[in-house]
Amino acid sequence: MALAGSETMNPDGDGETFILRAVRIGAVVALYWFVSITMVFLNSYLLDNRELDAPLFVTFYQCLVTVGLCWLMQLLSKVCPGLIDFPSVKFDLKTSREVLPLSIVFIGMITFNNLCLKHVGVAFYTVGRSLSTVFNVLLSYIILKQTTSLQAIMCCGVILGGFWLGVDQEGMTGNLSWTGVFFGVLASACVSLNAIFTKKVMPAVEGNIWKLSYYNNINACVLFLPLILLFGELGSLASFSHSSDLKFWGMMTLGGVFGFAIGYVTGLQIKFTSPLTHNVSGTAKACAQTVIAVVYNSSSKSLLWWTSNLMVLVGSSAYTWVKSLEMKKTPQRVPPDSAKEKLLPEEKGNLGV
């Protein structure tokens, strides 16, 4: 990567190294915020198109763009091996079948995520999609038989309280979409399942997150086709008046590019900071995203509405802090770099958080 390998020492002291490192980390965090926030607003714009009611097709197209970008990155890594590092992936049917269970969960995650964003908008999106941590605890116990500490459960209680308060306050404004809340809960559950299934199928792709993304999105493209037919979106596409509009396809492609980029910048932020710092940054980003959405829409929100968002963000941050303390107390069986790589799939998603 262009930012790597610049830890050179200044003969006169350590000042320059510290400054360069601080600037580098600041640039990486800013890049993550820009890509993630832009992607959410861009997807909201695409899904809010009243002339085209085809959320499955929008998601399918983004997966298709991701596959195309994986092919492009493979080609560029061969042409410029010193500049771009991307694994060479040849499609293997056996590997595709092994990744298929994850791909089904992945489809649910990105589809329900899009449907939640379509119905609730960006301002309520953080609260509507806030139960991923709660489902992590619940599903880890049900599927993996992993218990959770009382402190972590209390953090989940704060998140649940913020979620219910947010739903209540959004209802008071008259803008609440129960359909959007329902899809948000399903998306949160799928995010947790995606993390669990990712750990199970990582050996099939030799632990490489980009190979996993490649197979995941190929499988998703194939599986989306019958779903698009089943839900009658072809009719909506056929009657869409801007189907030949280059601006529309440009925005659609840009959405796919940002979907691909979020995986890269997520890994970049984890590499240059830490998984804990990445989670804190993601929480702060969600707060900024909500404020931007409220200001952009010139909305007026009550104190309790803002309190619900604060509860969700504080609960999520506290959970991350508690889990990090627990990890420090538990002997690690993997080197730090490997641990970071293991955490990456859980943070990754086409739409970000």
Side-chain angles (χ1 to χ4, degrees):
M1 289 181 287
L3 294 174
S6 52
E7 293 289 335
T8 56
M9 297 291 293
N10 188 337
D12 297 327
D14 296 337
E16 185 179 359
T17 301
F18 173 79
I19 293 173
L20 286 176
R21 175 175 168 76
V23 170
R24 189 184 306 118
I25 291 175
V28 168
V29 172
L31 180 63
Y32 169 78
W33 278 44
F34 170 75
V35 171
S36 184
I37 293 176
T38 303
M39 183 179 59
V40 171
F41 276 92
L42 184 56
N43 276 290
S44 179
Y45 167 80
L46 291 170
L47 294 164
D48 199 36
N49 193 325
R50 297 183 180 181
E51 292 187 45
L52 179 64
D53 185 20
L56 290 177
F57 174 75
V58 172
T59 312
F60 158 78
Y61 186 81
Q62 291 179 343
C63 291
L64 194 64
V65 170
T66 296
V67 173
L69 287 172
C70 284
W71 286 338
L72 178 62
M73 291 298 287
Q74 287 184 69
L75 178 63
L76 291 177
S77 67
K78 293 177 181 178
V79 176
C80 310
L83 184 63
I84 298 176
D85 181 21
F86 199 87
S88 178
V89 183
K90 292 183 180 179
F91 183 78
D92 179 72
L93 189 59
K94 179 177 179 295
T95 304
S96 179
R97 285 198 302 266
E98 291 177 347
V99 175
L100 185 60
L102 171 64
S103 301
I104 294 172
V105 175
F106 174 73
I107 283 178
M109 180 181 72
I110 58 178
T111 300
F112 294 139
N113 204 72
N114 265 355
L115 289 170
C116 173
L117 189 58
K118 177 181 175 67
H119 287 92
V120 305
V122 178
F124 189 68
Y125 179 67
T126 299
V127 172
R129 274 274 288 99
S130 63
L131 298 184
S132 298
T133 301
V134 178
F135 278 111
N136 274 341
V137 172
L138 183 63
L139 294 175
S140 293
Y141 178 75
I142 294 173
I143 298 175
L144 303 176
K145 308 302 179 184
Q146 293 179 352
T147 58
T148 305
S149 67
L150 178 61
Q151 293 90 336
I153 292 175
M154 290 174 63
C155 295
C156 290
V158 174
I159 296 171
L160 274 171
F163 173 79
W164 284 116
L165 180 60
V167 170
D168 176 71
Q169 290 302 302
E170 190 73 3
M172 295 283 288
T173 65
N175 296 322
L176 179 66
S177 167
W178 282 106
T179 302
V181 172
F182 175 70
F183 285 132
V185 172
L186 289 179
S188 298
C190 286
V191 167
S192 301
L193 285 172
N194 186 72
I196 293 171
F197 276 89
T198 294
K199 291 179 180 178
K200 290 186 175 182
V201 304
M202 281 297 276
V205 292
E206 301 169 346
N208 190 291
I209 189 63
W210 289 115
K211 286 185 179 180
L212 181 64
S213 178
Y214 175 76
Y215 280 104
N216 225 1
N217 282 278
I218 285 183
N219 286 345
C221 287
V222 174
L223 293 173
F224 265 125
L225 292 175
L227 290 175
I228 291 172
L229 291 171
L230 182 65
F231 285 91
E233 291 193 359
L234 279 183
S236 180
L237 288 168
S239 60
F240 184 50
S241 60
H242 298 287
S243 58
S244 59
D245 188 349
L246 291 179
K247 179 184 176 182
F248 167 75
W249 289 109
M251 294 295 284
M252 287 279 284
T253 303
L254 190 61
V257 170
F258 273 89
F260 176 85
I262 190 63
Y264 177 76
V265 295
T266 295
L268 200 64
Q269 181 167 251
I270 291 174
K271 177 176 180 178
F272 280 91
T273 58
S274 68
L276 173 60
T277 304
H278 167 69
N279 285 329
V280 173
S281 173
T283 302
K285 186 274 303 181
C287 179
Q289 181 177 284
T290 301
V291 172
I292 291 171
V294 171
V295 172
Y296 178 78
N297 294 319
S298 302
S299 303
S300 178
K301 301 296 183 182
S302 68
L303 178 61
L304 285 177
W305 189 93
W306 286 108
T307 301
S308 70
N309 280 266
L310 185 62
M311 288 175 67
V312 166
L313 296 173
V314 169
S316 300
S317 297
Y319 178 85
T320 300
W321 179 67
V322 168
K323 296 302 287 185
S324 68
L325 291 179
E326 292 175 358
M327 287 178 66
K328 288 179 180 178
K329 293 179 182 178
T330 305
Q332 300 298 307
R333 297 182 179 180
V334 290
D337 289 342
S338 300
K340 290 183 181 183
E341 187 68 20
K342 291 289 184 182
L343 286 171
L344 177 56
E346 300 184 22
E347 306 300 333
K348 185 177 180 298
N350 266 32
L351 301 175
V353 176

